[in-house]
Amino acid sequence: KNIVYFILPFNESGPITVERILKDLPNMTISHSATTTLSGIPSITFFGDIVGLGDTFETWVIYKNKLYQIMTSQSQEKLLLEVLNTWKWE
């Protein structure tokens, strides 16, 4: 039931897209992508496949020059969505 996240400096304007992700990670598997919002900021969610982690459910968003990558296993999609629905940007 782990949620993993990465926050990286990102000097491009959003929103993040599948095409942009694949530009940096061409071997990444992305399926069932959807444009969403995270506390009002455009984001993307998708199912992925990461070596070592297996099948993932991910949300990526750009906010204040940072790229947020939030992921969990596909079986924990509902949990991650519940957590993200509590987020508020300041």
Side-chain angles (χ1 to χ4, degrees):
K1 295 185 181 181
N2 294 325
I3 296 174
V4 178
Y5 63 91
F6 300 95
I7 304 169
L8 306 167
F10 200 75
N11 63 1
E12 298 176 30
S13 63
I16 193 73
T17 64
V18 169
E19 293 78 20
R20 180 61 186 90
I21 294 168
L22 292 174
K23 179 180 174 185
D24 286 341
L25 303 169
N27 295 325
M28 186 168 185
T29 300
I30 295 176
S31 64
H32 299 88
S33 65
T35 301
T36 58
T37 61
L38 181 55
S39 186
I41 304 299
S43 61
I44 188 169
T45 61
F46 57 88
F47 291 120
D49 182 13
I50 298 177
V51 174
L53 290 178
D55 295 332
T56 60
F57 175 72
E58 306 187 30
T59 297
W60 291 36
V61 60
I62 297 169
Y63 181 70
K64 289 190 176 180
N65 296 319
K66 291 187 174 62
L67 173 64
Y68 294 77
Q69 300 168 259
I70 307 128
M71 71 184 82
T72 192
S73 65
Q74 285 184 14
S75 65
Q76 296 299 312
E77 172 187 0
K78 182 177 177 181
L79 171 66
L80 181 56
L81 291 173
E82 288 173 2
V83 169
L84 293 178
N85 281 331
T86 69
W87 276 36
K88 302 287 184 236
W89 300 108
E90 294 187 18

